[in-house]
Amino acid sequence: MPNEHKRAQKIFKTLQQRYPDAHCALDYNSPLELLFATILSAQSTDVGVNKATPELFKAFPTVQDYASASPEKIEPYISSIGLFRGKAKSIYTSANMIVDDFGGEVPDNMKDLVKLRGVARKTANVVLGNAFHKNEGVVVDTHVGRLAHRFGLTKETKPDKIEKDLMALFPQEEWTTLSHLLVWHGRQVCKKRGGTCSEDSICKKFCSNASV
């Protein structure tokens, strides 16, 4: 195993020991709920999304309920979330596609998921990895991108290229968990500003920001 792969595994195992319960921060009970929660999370916080979705999910319990509504009927339930009008259109349009094109079931593959409005590769990776337990890629959000740089796992700046580097370094079965581990460490310790990297044992060992 090349040295960079050995180092990647050390990072993974160390993070896993620190955060054994790392998981998706969005609340959901079905692939449909996770899909729409992830669409809503774009440029918004998971905390904000989790505050809005209980009433949304209660008002629209099935995909047909969304498809039979309208963006305007969905908007009041997500008005606390940024870009809510566009996201309401995405939810409504995606619901109709799921009903019309996919037999009322959320697609469980990348090719079909990214056909839905408001769904790019990142969102599809979240749904596939967490709702269907399929490791098709690595979710690269701001935390994952930041830590991938600080841990020396990539020199790329674009999410798709960062993802390719991470996919090359880590075994496929680890991809979904890797995202969770990096997000949890990024939120709790290795923050964009005001983090505790200089005091943290993991950062001291692996993070270039530890001395900042």
Side-chain angles (χ1 to χ4, degrees):
M1 181 184 292
N3 288 336
E4 60 267 25
H5 287 83
K6 288 183 179 180
R7 183 174 179 277
Q9 279 306 293
K10 287 182 180 178
I11 291 173
F12 184 89
K13 298 300 183 185
T14 304
L15 288 172
Q16 199 170 40
Q17 289 175 358
R18 172 78 66 86
Y19 310 107
D21 300 319
H23 59 272
C24 179
L26 294 170
D27 296 334
Y28 67 96
N29 292 297
S30 68
L32 182 71
E33 289 187 356
L34 179 58
L35 171 64
F36 289 165
T38 308
I39 288 174
L40 292 173
S41 71
Q43 300 183 50
S44 302
T45 66
D46 292 343
V47 172
V49 172
N50 288 339
K51 287 181 179 179
T53 50
E55 290 303 315
L56 175 71
F57 296 159
K58 183 179 179 181
F60 303 95
T62 71
V63 68
Q64 186 62 60
D65 291 321
Y66 289 100
S68 299
S70 67
E72 290 73 24
K73 289 183 178 179
I74 296 171
E75 285 177 10
Y77 296 95
I78 61 173
S79 59
S80 62
I81 298 173
L83 308 174
F84 71 92
R85 289 190 175 87
K87 292 175 181 178
K89 291 180 181 177
S90 292
I91 289 174
Y92 171 74
T93 303
S94 292
N96 276 278
M97 287 188 66
I98 291 169
V99 170
D100 295 340
D101 300 340
F102 302 112
E105 300 292 334
V106 175
D108 63 354
N109 63 85
M110 180 69 68
K111 180 182 177 182
D112 289 333
L113 272 172
V114 296
K115 293 177 182 178
L116 302 175
R117 175 168 172 151
V119 178
R121 184 175 175 86
K122 175 185 167 185
T123 297
N125 276 332
V126 172
V127 175
L128 290 171
N130 295 283
F132 296 111
H133 308 293
K134 292 185 175 183
N135 289 287
E136 295 293 327
V138 179
V139 177
V140 179
D141 68 356
T142 56
H143 299 290
V144 173
R146 182 174 72 255
L147 267 70
H149 272 274
R150 290 182 178 178
F151 284 169
L153 300 172
T154 186
K155 293 181 180 179
E156 299 292 347
T157 56
K158 294 183 178 180
D160 60 328
K161 292 186 177 181
I162 293 173
E163 182 186 9
K164 286 182 180 179
D165 282 348
L166 294 176
M167 289 167 69
L169 279 173
F170 295 85
Q172 186 171 359
E173 64 268 18
E174 295 178 352
W175 290 349
T176 299
T177 302
L178 173 66
S179 297
H180 296 326
L181 293 172
L182 292 175
V183 168
W184 278 46
H185 193 63
R187 285 177 172 166
Q188 297 185 35
V189 177
C190 202
K191 303 177 182 180
K192 184 176 181 180
R193 299 186 190 86
T196 55
C197 293
S198 61
E199 305 164 13
D200 186 80
S201 59
I202 294 177
C203 288
K204 284 181 178 179
K205 189 171 185 179
F206 300 113
C207 180
S208 62
N209 206 52
S211 61
V212 176

